[in-house]
Amino acid sequence: MFGFWKSRLTDVLIDAVKANDGILIHLATEEYQHLFDWQRVRKEVRIIQPLFYVRKGSDLKIQAVWAKTCRGAMTRFIIENRIDKPEDLCAFSYEGFAYEPTLGEPDFPHFIKE
C-alpha cells in the first residue's frame, strides 16, 4: 500500500510547494517522512528544518518534548505573523529558545535554550 501512495503523495507535496514559493518549512516529526519519497522531495524543493536544542553545560541536546512543543509554537508563529521568508524565522523565540546564528546552516537554523 505504501508503494502505491508514496509516489502520489510525493507528487502532491512537491506540486503544492512549487506552486507557492518552492520552500517547505519542515516542522513535522520524522515519522511522517516515510509517507513521501523524501530524497526526491529534497532534490525538488528547498527544505528548511529548524532544530531545537537545550544547552546542558557545553553540550547541545534535542529533548523530544521541547522539540515537539517548539515545532508547534513555530507553526503558530508562522501563521500569526504571516511569515513568508525563511530568514524571518530568526525572530522566533519561545520559552527561552532563541535563534543562534553561529550554529547550524541556513536550511537548518538552530534555536537554543540556555
Side-chain angles (χ1 to χ4, degrees):
M1 191 155 88
F2 281 117
F4 177 81
W5 286 108
K6 187 178 248 184
S7 65
R8 287 164 177 78
L9 289 172
T10 301
D11 289 342
V12 169
L13 176 63
I14 290 171
D15 290 346
V17 173
K18 284 182 175 180
N20 194 343
D21 62 359
I23 300 172
L24 173 67
I25 307 297
H26 179 17
L27 292 168
T29 58
E30 290 184 21
E31 63 199 28
Y32 290 102
Q33 289 182 10
H34 77 278
L35 297 172
F36 306 97
D37 179 347
W38 206 246
Q39 289 181 333
R40 187 171 147 225
V41 173
R42 286 202 179 279
K43 287 179 187 172
E44 295 196 36
V45 301
R46 180 178 176 201
I47 300 174
I48 308 295
Q49 185 172 6
L51 300 172
F52 303 95
Y53 292 94
V54 175
R55 189 177 303 278
K56 297 278 186 172
S58 62
D59 294 330
L60 295 175
K61 301 205 181 235
I62 294 178
Q63 293 181 344
V65 172
W66 276 118
K68 184 175 184 176
T69 302
C70 288
R71 288 192 303 266
M74 182 171 275
T75 300
R76 181 181 194 134
F77 172 79
I78 290 167
I79 293 166
E80 288 179 345
N81 295 284
R82 299 177 184 207
I83 301 297
D84 60 0
K85 295 182 294 245
E87 55 271 15
D88 292 343
L89 294 175
C90 301
F92 172 80
S93 65
Y94 175 77
E95 296 290 325
F97 283 87
Y99 176 64
E100 178 52 61
T102 63
L103 299 174
E105 53 191 74
D107 289 349
F108 295 92
H110 286 41
F111 295 82
I112 311 297
K113 179 180 177 81
E114 298 291 333

